[in-house]
Amino acid sequence: MDRYDVLIRGGRLRAQPSRLLDVAVAGGRIAAIGERIAGRADTEIDARGGLVTESFVNPHLHLCKVWTAAMIDELAMQAYHGAAMANAAAAIDLAARVKARYDESWIAPNARRAVALAALHGSLHIRALADVDSKARLEGVKALLRVRDEFKGIVDVQVVAFAQDGIVRENGAAGLMREAMALGADVVGGIPWIEATDAHKAEHVRFCFELAEDFDKDVSMLLDDAGDAGLRTLELMAREAIARGRQGRALAHHCRAMALYDAAYLGVLIPLLQRAKVPVVTDPHTGPLHARVQALLEAGNTVCLGQDDISDAYYPFGRNNLLEVAFLASHLLWMTTRPEIERLYDMITVAAAKAMNLGDFGLGVGMPAHLVVLDAPDVIEALRWHAPPAHVISHGRPVDLASMRRLAGLAP
Ligand SMILES: [Zn+2]
């Protein structure tokens, strides 16, 4: 008789909703999927007809800023949303004031609480940005590296060294970015659109790719995050990736100016992103303008959703619940048919995994066992309730949800 680490009994897969199936896990991977699998396991889980899917993947979270809202006056949020987001850069300057107080000692507990919430909601992979500039120094990076190591094997955190205040306009940022990568950051993060001139934007992009090449890491960039149709740094990044042969190694975040581009320019930009293998991660709940999700999906580009913020200068809510993010996106992007909701579910699982370059990821025999068991029989019910999963499996092991509740500061 076969012996497994985990046996999930009587669940439903998205592809075969009418059948009750078992999923067996051994050695960190999915060992078998089928009806009434013979064998025993250390942990047997009754799925009670609920959906069994890949765990959730969050490619965009400002983890060094979580729960800093109380430290910042309302001015920042007003500036971010006023005048159709034309003032987003001013909001970043306001939010930067909190960074004068940045210290690893209080950032780490905030981040720990947010990552524990992610585990409770079945979000087991996070690309987490840590600000690197003359005010934040390396405090955010150090805190997130520490939390990344604490959650190893439960939640996999990729720490992005993120030049939030620019490279050219921010004295000392370039040196700090290099130090952050040497400390062990996983991804080089840029924000070229906030530089003052086109030449400076191009220099910012070049710097990030060069640094990423030196450490053989991926690039993540926040692009054109304002209501200005003239912003073009998404195109700039895609062209740089192609010129350097770094296709598939760069991820585009936000790209809100896409909402204002005309059809002719989109007709050039979308195929260019495909050639550069640049996916787009969008967070429709954190601002009034959104990347052109439907156009990207129709063309076959990779698009995914991110949490973006949790209680900081830019967004008052959030709890690392990607089902909640997909629920909000369903309304904000008006994707409400069953096929569209299936696409939204892909955007918080397999598409997001591809965007983060996770490699093997998916619900298939031989794949790493990163799974959730939901109290919902299909994707519509899953989004309707956006409830935490009944069970979470990470690297083939059940996640101890009681200890995650404690770390998240929730009642037992
Ligand atoms: Zn963001």
Side-chain angles (χ1 to χ4, degrees):
M1 185 178 278
D2 287 319
R3 185 89 205 168
Y4 300 107
D5 299 323
V6 179
L7 245 175
I8 302 166
R9 299 263 188 212
R12 274 177 227 278
L13 309 191
R14 284 170 62 196
Q16 304 175 65
S18 58
R19 299 173 70 195
L20 290 183
L21 295 170
D22 297 350
V23 178
V25 172
R29 291 184 179 263
I30 298 171
I33 300 174
E35 276 178 18
R36 284 187 285 278
I37 292 171
R40 305 296 303 259
D42 299 335
T43 305
E44 295 218 9
I45 291 168
D46 180 2
R48 300 186 300 168
L51 211 51
V52 180
T53 78
E54 303 87 355
S55 56
F56 305 116
V57 178
N58 177 10
H60 184 141
L61 176 67
H62 296 276
L63 186 55
C64 71
K65 299 185 175 93
V66 294
W67 284 290
T68 54
M71 299 169 74
I72 300 160
D73 43 78
E74 281 285 304
L75 279 174
M77 205 174 295
Q78 285 161 14
Y80 188 57
H81 291 292
M85 301 200 69
N87 293 324
I92 291 170
D93 288 332
L94 288 165
R97 280 192 272 153
V98 78
K99 287 193 283 195
R101 290 155 64 187
Y102 253 37
D103 196 288
E104 183 188 352
S105 66
W106 62 258
I107 298 169
N110 284 355
R112 192 176 291 127
R113 180 180 165 202
V115 176
L117 274 174
L120 282 172
H121 289 102
S123 300
L124 301 182
H125 296 83
I126 301 173
R127 184 168 283 192
L129 297 99
D131 287 13
V132 174
D133 49 60
S134 61
K135 298 156 290 293
R137 293 150 281 121
L138 296 172
E139 295 300 308
V141 171
K142 287 178 189 165
L144 299 202
L145 289 174
R146 187 176 356 145
V147 171
R148 177 192 71 184
D149 294 344
E150 288 171 12
F151 281 86
K152 214 178 171 88
I154 301 168
V155 178
D156 293 346
V157 178
Q158 296 179 349
V159 176
V160 184
F162 175 46
Q164 169 79 78
D165 292 345
I167 298 285
V168 183
R169 75 199 269 274
E170 177 72 1
N171 260 332
L176 285 166
M177 284 289 287
R178 189 164 286 280
E179 274 185 67
M181 296 311 294
L183 275 178
D186 304 288
V187 178
V188 175
I191 181 165
W193 70 271
I194 64 162
E195 301 287 2
T197 67
D198 285 347
H200 290 177
K201 289 176 174 78
E203 192 179 332
H204 184 123
V205 170
R206 270 198 307 277
F207 171 85
C208 288
F209 273 90
E210 275 165 18
L211 185 59
E213 281 170 16
D214 288 350
F215 287 84
D216 191 24
K217 300 292 188 190
D218 287 2
V219 168
S220 255
M221 284 195 195
L222 274 61
L223 303 166
D224 311 327
D225 191 14
D228 175 357
L231 291 170
R232 291 284 191 273
T233 61
L234 175 56
E235 177 184 347
L236 197 61
M237 185 179 85
R239 293 201 186 283
E240 190 77 18
I242 292 169
R244 291 174 180 273
R246 302 291 281 184
Q247 294 95 332
R249 300 296 302 271
L251 175 57
H253 302 246
H254 287 317
C255 315
R256 297 192 199 270
M258 264 190 114
L260 307 174
Y261 294 162
D262 61 32
Y265 183 55
L266 281 176
V268 173
L269 182 62
I270 291 175
L272 175 70
L273 295 176
Q274 239 170 49
R275 282 204 302 284
K277 296 194 172 68
V278 170
V280 173
V281 49
T282 184
D283 326 278
H285 58 291
T286 60
L289 297 175
H290 320 308
R292 291 291 185 88
V293 172
Q294 275 93 339
L296 288 162
L297 286 171
E298 272 166 34
N301 291 46
T302 301
V303 194
C304 52
L305 296 169
Q307 171 68 60
D308 201 2
D309 299 282
I310 294 177
S311 289
D312 61 16
Y314 305 94
Y315 183 66
F317 308 117
R319 48 188 176 145
N320 266 337
N321 179 351
L322 272 292
L323 283 174
E324 178 179 81
V325 167
F327 176 76
L328 295 169
S330 167
H331 297 76
L332 294 162
L333 304 173
W334 199 243
M335 293 173 69
T336 55
T337 66
R338 186 175 288 271
E340 285 171 331
I341 291 169
E342 293 283 356
R343 301 202 92 162
L344 287 168
Y345 206 95
D346 287 340
M347 288 162 70
I348 55 171
T349 53
V350 288
K354 192 173 167 194
M356 276 178 65
N357 273 335
L358 294 184
D360 279 354
F361 189 88
L363 192 67
V365 173
M367 291 299 213
H370 304 301
L371 303 168
V372 290
V373 181
L374 303 180
D375 278 327
D378 61 37
V379 292
I380 290 181
E381 293 307 309
L383 260 64
R384 182 198 309 280
W385 299 104
H386 41 279
H391 302 275
V392 179
I393 311 292
S394 179
H395 293 274
R397 299 280 171 194
V399 172
D400 179 354
L401 299 178
S403 75
M404 290 300 129
R405 284 188 72 82
R406 262 196 312 281
L407 284 173
L410 299 174

